[in-house]
Amino acid sequence: MALKQVRMQLGQTYSPLVNGEFVSTETQADSVNPSNPAEIIGKVGLLSQEQADQAIAAAKTAFPQWQATPAAERAAILRRAGDLMAERRSELATWVMLEVGKALKQADAEVSEAIDFCHYYADEIERLDRGYDYDLAGETNHYRYFPRGIAVVISPWNFPIAIATGMTVAALVTGNCTLLKPAENSAVIAAKIGEILIEAGIPKGVFQYVPARGSTVGAHLVKHPDVHLIAFTGSREVGCQIYAEAAQVQPTQKHLKRVIAEMGGKNAIIVDESADLDQATQRVVTSAFGYSGQKCSACSRVIVLAPIYETFVRRLVEATRSLNIGPAEDPSTGVGPVIDAKARDRILQYIETGKAQSQIALEMPVPATGYFVSPTIFIEVAATDTIAQEEIFGPVLAVIKAENFDQALEIANGTDYGLTGGLYSRTPSHIERSQREFAVGNLYINRNITGAIVARQPFGGFKMSGVGSKAGGPDYLLQFLEPRVITENIQRQGFAPIEGME
Amino acid sequence: MVVQVSQPTYEQKTQAIARELISATREKRSLFAQMRDQMRWDDRLLAFAMDNPGLRVQLFRFIDCLPALHSKAEVARHLQEYLGDPSVELPEALKGLLNFANADSVPGQLAATTFSKAVETLAHKYIAGETIAQVIKTLDRQRQGKLTFTVDLLGEAVITEAEAQAYLNSYLELMQQLTEAAKKWSPVEAIDSAEGEPLTKVQVTVKLTAFYSQFDPLDAVGSQKKVSDRIRTLLRRAQELGAAVHFDMEQYVYKTLTLATLKGVLLEDEFRSRSDIGVTLQAYLRDSYSDLQDLVTWAKERSTPLSVRLVKGAYWDQETIKAVQHDWPQPVYSQKESTDANFERMTRLLLENHAHLYAAIGSHNVRSQAYAMAIAETLNIPKRAIELQVLYGMADKLAKAMSDRGYRVRVYCPYGELIPGMAYLIRRLLENTANSSFCGKSRGAPGRRTAHGS
Ligand SMILES: Cc1cc2nc3c(=O)[nH]c(=O)nc-3n(C[C@H](O)[C@H](O)[C@H](O)COP(=O)(O)OP(=O)(O)OC[C@H]3O[C@@H](n4cnc5c(N)ncnc54)[C@H](O)[C@@H]3O)c2cc1C
């Protein structure tokens, strides 16, 4: 149903939205279906540097008004946006499925997450807006939060609606004027987010949709002296670059920029001797190969205790072999394509490196059309091997053997990253230790390590996995705000009402 | 034909039958309690679990992970970790056993051995054998006691296509061996015939989702096709050998597709006239009554009867938690009384349609079984069209009492190894130590259920 309707709309042009107007651009890029690259999802107009400057100027003009808009009103717009998404849920999920090659069930879960972000951050701003009061006789002290100014959101293609919506509405609801620069591969879905925000009542200049080349215009936005905040999700390389560039104070710039960056991981699941292997095997497969391993939270290392190593590996390989590989829109598909040719080639390169260093246990034939990579399992991998250290962002799993639980924890912690981690164990003392010693932002015990839910599992890591606190959690909005304290002496001529005394 | 009989008629008779069943099955509870200190460890564990909810949780969690542990020292260490939890108040007897400092010590080893043995014995109460040969011995014994059977292979989750194929092959092998053994069995009138018509001696029970490793209700078309292929193979072979096949019902997500798949296959020319096949419905599901109504209509159209096993449903906690976590409407009733009442409504609908569907009443609840018997006796339902079912080891005395009353009683006999059987074992242990099981009353009527058979 939704598929037919969406298919009829493929190939349209999506222009940037600057100061409330859709502007024409000199360059365009095609966004294609990774399952079938001949199918063009949409043509996306790319913003020039000059247009980017115009957008910043428009944001600057819109800011005073938006800042003065009561938090309750801003929250109401978010809730409307959430409701609109809910109404268009199956259509939006279909766009996600086609544009980034994600299975419908997961695409649908992503739309839910986007809706949850709208409602959760609306509630959160209303909580924060109350601030704190420390009043005493003759003096009031008000602790209040204010927006920072102009926010640039640079969103990834792997959760094209959830993450883009989450970062954008967080910036908006806190009173910042926001520019959304989506990954080119998912710019059509980002345009849909724009449509929804406009329909929900976001004023012009407050939200702007600015698809652009990241390396040039994106970088220009990051360096812009009028930008206060950059919210980024993507690769470690780009994240580190943004962090460094944002730190350089430009001429005319009168503030230091805030960067929130979520950058990926090298996530491990430890399978303990006492694990329920039925569950561990299934959930490792889901965590490693769901959306072809292209989630920041995906499992790319599984650390298995020696007594169960053989048994576990045999079953893991067979279970993975049983997955169907095919286009995302086929309901029987377990593993779909990766995002584009560049990603595919990079992953294949890692697989070659893996073959040189360790032993390949599974590789399967894949469809010829589309950007497919076989789910791949390496065994007898050393903890220091390239494929056990670097983020691959594809369907490649390294199996590492550990002699005991101490060693398992040491291996798990032995990378640059600290995003998600998992433990399958029925040993109470190991479960307890992992809570203290497994250094990750999100630790999942006896369940899959992907699929965090807003508010229930606020999401985000540390070390080289990112800076900033957790999306969908109680500290997230604080990063978009500047607290100020207002102290007023309310005595006049030594006179002031004293509470409790008439 | 739908016969209208007023409810009060059934109610009086139900209560009368229930009273008779209870007096036939009553355990001497006081004696049972006195004997506690002389009991074997497996019985003592169950008794401890019933007395102490905190201990029950930790004990069953420990049992769940026990077969996964690879050495006595590991067993001893886990024993201490689970039962040494501050939430657990230990009976003296257990304290003594757990009082060792080192998992490698002699007392540690002793504790590990004692527990492992006790759990093994416990498992054998509910699992009819580890191998086909062992299960055949059990079936022999059951038949001598005039009880017939269905055999279920305990399996780990099917997550690979090799496992799905192996599951099918195991059943082909099982049916082969059972029908071979059956040739040597002397007929038992009460279970091998009805109204002079011979009945299939061998029945196996399968789980439909285990026939395809990627079974997924969201891929209804693909899943149905894969599963149907394997079911056809199974049903063909069953017919050649002379075995009946019954399908369990699993979690709610699978229900619609399970019923659709079976209805599809059973309407095919090749299988349309088979009356030795059965499906299961779960009365704890809010939509189960309408599923049964649909099935009645469907069976009329098909014109050959099918068996329907009516049970309450084994995954209540799981379904409830899942719905809460996903913010879905609850598929199951939230009150035990609602499930019981629905079970009776469904029993009535099923039995009143005995010309189209054969009824198999699967319950250990005296009241639930008595209600079915009251209807059967009031309506004079032919023997072919009703049987009463229990799970192996869960209600031995009730089974005998029902059989003595002239009913065909079928015992569901699971077999297999302990690790893959753990989910089944834990469900049975939970059911058998639930406080409600012992004093579960239904609308003031006698509802006491038999104590666990020992
Ligand atoms: C021969 C046989 C075959 C079986 N096959 C299957 C099968 O294929 N699939 C399956 O799922 N189960 C099956 N069962 C198990 C069955 O569903 C029950 O778990 C078990 O029999 C206990 O129910 P009871 O009637 O014996 O006992 P009772 O004590 O009368 O009832 C217990 C049952 O009540 C229900 N219940 C408990 N608490 C609540 C509550 N708060 N709200 C609503 N309902 C509640 C649950 O279903 C629970 O199992 C089978 C049982 C038998 C005897």
Side-chain angles (χ1 to χ4, degrees):
Chain A
M1 268 298 287
L3 182 59
K4 239 188 207 154
Q5 281 169 7
V6 169
R7 273 241 148 82
M8 272 158 45
Q9 300 171 47
L10 294 186
Q12 292 176 359
T13 299
Y14 298 86
S15 300
L17 176 74
V18 174
N19 199 20
E21 306 287 334
F22 290 103
V23 298
S24 53
T25 57
E26 280 161 27
T27 44
Q28 275 194 350
D30 290 345
S31 177
V32 304
N33 179 352
S35 303
N36 173 20
E39 183 169 70
I40 295 176
I41 303 304
K43 298 174 184 303
V44 179
L46 299 178
L47 208 72
S48 68
Q49 186 159 322
E50 203 191 339
Q51 287 170 314
D53 288 336
Q54 288 162 8
I56 297 276
K60 216 170 160 179
T61 312
F63 181 63
Q65 181 84 44
W66 184 238
Q67 174 176 35
T69 304
E73 260 175 58
R74 300 196 300 249
I77 295 178
L78 254 64
R79 294 197 178 100
R80 265 201 301 281
D83 293 343
L84 289 169
M85 285 184 186
E87 278 167 30
R88 294 174 58 176
R89 178 189 198 106
S90 58
E91 179 219 333
L92 292 169
T94 305
W95 280 108
V96 171
M97 175 180 88
L98 292 178
E99 193 177 24
V100 302
K102 185 178 283 195
L104 194 59
K105 181 180 169 182
Q106 294 175 40
D108 185 69
E110 213 200 303
V111 179
S112 299
E113 191 181 347
I115 298 167
D116 288 348
F117 275 131
C118 293
H119 290 287
Y120 178 74
Y121 290 145
D123 293 348
E124 278 293 288
I125 195 62
E126 287 177 343
R127 172 178 72 85
L128 291 171
D129 192 55
R130 290 194 289 273
Y132 305 95
D133 293 331
Y134 302 95
D135 295 346
L136 45 134
E139 177 183 291
T140 59
N141 293 289
H142 297 322
Y143 190 103
R144 292 289 183 274
Y145 294 104
F146 291 80
R148 287 176 176 268
I150 298 178
V152 172
V153 170
I154 301 177
S155 66
W157 49 263
N158 67 335
F159 282 87
I161 188 158
I163 295 183
T165 300
M167 294 195 296
T168 303
V169 301
L172 287 171
V173 84
T174 43
N176 299 287
C177 287
T178 306
L179 290 78
L180 168 61
K181 192 213 82 67
E184 273 176 49
N185 288 322
S186 61
V188 172
I189 296 155
K192 304 283 162 196
I193 299 173
E195 279 170 21
I196 286 165
L197 287 172
I198 292 165
E199 198 183 335
I202 284 278
K204 71 173 191 173
V206 171
F207 167 78
Q208 302 181 84
Y209 165 66
V210 292
R213 290 252 182 265
S215 53
T216 54
V217 180
H220 177 71
L221 286 173
V222 168
K223 283 187 227 150
H224 202 288
D226 290 338
V227 167
H228 295 83
L229 177 145
I230 297 129
F232 167 80
T233 300
S235 71
R236 167 178 172 175
E237 187 194 345
V238 177
C240 290
Q241 214 173 315
I242 290 176
Y243 198 62
E245 277 170 3
Q248 302 296 316
V249 179
Q250 304 293 330
T252 78
Q253 182 179 331
K254 297 189 185 65
H255 57 270
L256 296 178
K257 292 177 188 171
R258 167 62 72 99
V259 175
I260 303 158
E262 204 268 275
M263 311 189 298
K266 191 66 199 171
N267 313 310
I269 295 179
I270 297 177
V271 183
D272 200 0
E273 170 176 354
S274 61
D276 178 331
L277 291 188
D278 259 8
Q279 285 194 24
T281 315
Q282 291 180 78
R283 298 286 96 84
V284 167
V285 170
T286 322
S287 302
F289 302 113
Y291 193 40
S292 299
Q294 301 174 107
K295 299 180 182 178
C296 335
S297 55
C299 170
S300 63
R301 300 180 295 152
V302 56
I303 301 163
V304 187
L305 273 287
I308 52 160
Y309 183 82
E310 301 295 333
T311 318
F312 178 79
V313 166
R314 206 176 323 117
R315 203 130 180 260
L316 173 73
V317 169
E318 282 314 308
T320 310
R321 199 195 300 285
S322 304
L323 297 172
N324 301 314
I325 306 172
E329 68 190 78
D330 180 342
S332 72
T333 291
V335 182
V338 299
I339 189 69
D340 57 22
K342 208 171 119 202
R344 179 195 55 202
D345 296 344
R346 186 179 39 77
I347 299 164
L348 291 177
Q349 194 58 51
Y350 272 114
I351 292 176
E352 286 314 307
T353 311
K355 283 178 182 168
Q357 293 179 334
S358 51
Q359 190 184 329
I360 193 157
L362 179 73
E363 207 176 13
M364 291 153 70
V366 297
T369 310
Y371 307 124
F372 286 92
V373 177
S374 161
T376 308
I377 299 175
F378 287 99
I379 55 173
E380 306 291 339
V381 178
T384 50
D385 283 355
T386 311
I387 57 157
Q389 286 292 323
E390 293 181 15
E391 184 173 52
I392 301 173
F393 224 61
V396 182
L397 180 63
V399 187
I400 306 168
K401 193 195 290 184
E403 289 309 321
N404 52 47
F405 192 68
D406 286 328
Q407 198 192 6
L409 275 175
E410 193 184 313
I411 297 169
N413 288 333
T415 71
D416 296 349
Y417 297 95
L419 187 49
T420 67
L423 168 65
Y424 270 90
S425 177
R426 285 179 288 194
T427 304
S429 57
H430 291 179
I431 291 176
E432 186 171 325
R433 265 186 73 190
S434 72
Q435 299 176 27
R436 271 177 285 120
E437 297 177 31
F438 201 150
V440 291
N442 289 73
L443 177 64
Y444 296 95
I445 298 166
N446 291 324
R447 58 152 274 181
N448 49 309
I449 66 169
T450 55
I453 292 176
V454 173
R456 235 157 80 190
Q457 292 108 14
F459 183 81
F462 46 89
K463 290 166 74 178
M464 292 314 284
S465 293
V467 283
S469 67
K470 295 180 169 313
D475 299 330
Y476 192 68
L477 289 191
L478 293 178
Q479 309 169 104
F480 295 78
L481 292 162
E482 198 71 77
R484 301 186 203 163
V485 176
I486 297 98
T487 299
E488 183 181 352
N489 172 8
I490 53 168
Q491 295 179 72
R492 297 285 191 277
Q493 308 296 352
F495 155 78
I498 301 173
E499 214 180 323
M501 301 190 193
E502 302 292 318
Chain B
M1 179 197 62
V2 176
V3 190
Q4 290 296 331
V5 178
S6 64
Q7 191 76 23
T9 322
Y10 291 155
E11 186 54 39
Q12 262 185 2
K13 204 161 170 67
T14 302
Q15 298 208 16
I17 295 173
R19 269 192 296 274
E20 286 175 41
L21 289 175
I22 286 170
S23 68
T25 58
R26 173 155 283 150
E27 290 254 5
K28 305 230 168 15
R29 283 284 286 159
S30 52
L31 189 63
F32 180 71
Q34 282 167 19
M35 280 169 40
R36 180 157 300 170
D37 291 341
Q38 294 126 50
M39 283 190 296
R40 292 181 322 191
W41 270 104
D42 50 303
D43 282 327
R44 285 162 92 173
L45 290 183
L46 281 187
F48 292 149
M50 268 182 283
D51 289 347
N52 182 337
L55 176 59
R56 179 172 178 251
V57 172
Q58 289 302 95
L59 191 60
F60 290 174
R61 284 185 169 174
F62 168 69
I63 291 176
D64 166 50
C65 91
L66 180 64
L69 304 174
H70 289 77
S71 66
K72 279 190 184 169
E74 280 293 296
V75 172
R77 203 153 64 80
H78 280 78
L79 196 51
Q80 267 186 337
E81 285 194 20
Y82 275 98
L83 301 188
D85 191 280
S87 71
V88 179
E89 207 186 301
L90 284 185
E92 285 306 319
L94 272 182
K95 260 190 205 152
L97 196 61
L98 290 181
N99 188 16
F100 53 86
N102 185 338
D104 284 318
S105 64
V106 175
Q109 303 262 318
L110 176 70
T113 311
T114 307
F115 259 85
S116 303
K117 282 233 176 75
V119 171
E120 221 169 277
T121 315
L122 210 48
H124 287 142
K125 282 188 171 162
Y126 307 106
I127 297 176
E130 279 187 27
T131 60
I132 299 183
Q134 283 175 11
V135 87
I136 287 176
K137 266 196 201 133
T138 308
L139 302 181
D140 251 331
R141 223 175 32 237
Q142 303 262 21
R143 286 179 52 84
Q144 280 162 30
K146 295 192 188 161
L147 302 171
T148 188
F149 64 86
T150 188
V151 178
D152 164 72
L153 167 61
L154 293 170
E156 49 198 347
V158 167
I159 56 179
T160 77
E161 269 312 273
E163 287 165 358
Q165 186 60 46
Y167 185 76
L168 174 63
N169 294 344
S170 310
Y171 268 98
L172 299 179
E173 172 70 19
L174 175 64
M175 291 193 302
Q176 163 84 39
Q177 294 207 29
L178 289 179
T179 47
E180 196 56 41
K183 289 179 187 156
K184 289 177 233 131
W185 291 337
S186 37
V188 180
E189 177 65 24
I191 53 176
D192 293 335
S193 70
E195 285 87 30
E197 177 200 343
L199 299 175
T200 317
K201 288 201 183 80
V202 169
Q203 188 189 94
V204 295
T205 286
V206 298
K207 293 198 166 42
L208 180 131
T209 65
F211 289 117
Y212 179 37
S213 66
Q214 310 300 306
F215 192 92
D216 178 1
L218 290 178
D219 177 25
V221 178
S223 299
Q224 192 165 343
K225 188 176 169 305
K226 287 268 189 190
V227 167
S228 299
D229 282 348
R230 290 198 168 119
I231 289 176
R232 287 188 197 99
T233 308
L234 180 81
L235 294 184
R236 269 178 211 132
R237 186 72 184 134
Q239 186 166 38
E240 286 165 18
L241 293 167
V245 176
H246 193 96
F247 291 86
D248 271 346
M249 188 57 82
E250 304 165 71
Q251 284 85 349
Y252 182 65
V253 274
Y254 302 130
K255 185 205 68 179
T256 305
L257 190 52
T258 298
L259 289 175
T261 305
L262 290 173
K263 283 178 179 173
V265 170
L266 295 177
L267 274 188
E268 291 169 7
D269 284 345
E270 186 182 354
F271 305 108
R272 196 175 174 128
S273 56
R274 295 276 289 273
S275 60
D276 55 354
I277 297 169
V279 303
T280 306
L281 291 181
Q282 299 155 318
Y284 67 5
L285 294 180
R286 291 167 191 266
D287 50 16
S288 55
Y289 190 81
S290 74
D291 286 337
L292 180 56
Q293 287 176 314
D294 288 351
L295 214 52
V296 169
T297 314
W298 177 86
K300 284 179 185 166
E301 195 182 306
R302 181 176 183 252
S303 75
T304 309
L306 185 78
S307 287
V308 174
R309 179 203 293 153
L310 184 60
V311 300
K312 288 181 190 161
Y315 311 97
W316 188 85
D317 298 58
Q318 211 178 322
E319 301 293 5
T320 303
I321 291 170
K322 188 167 187 183
V324 167
Q325 288 196 352
H326 289 83
D327 208 7
W328 289 338
Q330 282 293 348
V332 294
Y333 288 110
S334 45
Q335 304 290 323
K336 167 86 164 66
E337 293 72 30
S338 312
T339 299
D340 289 338
N342 193 43
F343 191 87
E344 294 193 2
R345 273 203 313 155
M346 291 176 73
T347 301
R348 190 171 167 190
L349 179 64
L350 188 55
L351 288 174
E352 289 176 352
N353 282 284
H354 61 82
H356 313 292
L357 291 172
Y358 298 148
I361 307 299
S363 174
H364 312 125
N365 186 311
V366 172
R367 156 91 205 181
S368 303
Q369 291 288 12
Y371 185 74
M373 295 157 104
I375 300 176
E377 290 168 26
T378 308
L379 301 186
N380 258 319
I381 288 180
K383 289 220 167 319
R384 178 66 188 93
I386 180 170
E387 66 182 37
L388 310 179
Q389 301 192 344
V390 297
L391 299 176
Y392 182 76
M394 288 292 287
D396 299 352
K397 291 191 170 155
L398 177 62
K400 177 161 188 328
M402 295 190 301
S403 162
D404 287 348
R405 217 184 146 89
Y407 286 87
R408 181 168 69 256
V409 176
R410 190 180 299 278
V411 180
Y412 181 110
C413 298
Y415 88 99
E417 286 168 25
L418 195 50
I419 292 190
M422 191 44 84
Y424 180 86
L425 178 63
I426 294 286
R427 277 202 300 277
R428 299 293 85 78
L429 289 176
L430 286 169
E431 282 176 4
N432 225 350
T433 56
N435 277 323
S436 64
S437 313
F438 282 88
C439 49
K441 279 200 224 90
S442 176
R443 286 178 277 147
R448 248 180 87 100
R449 157 180 157 164
T450 49
H452 62 90
S454 51

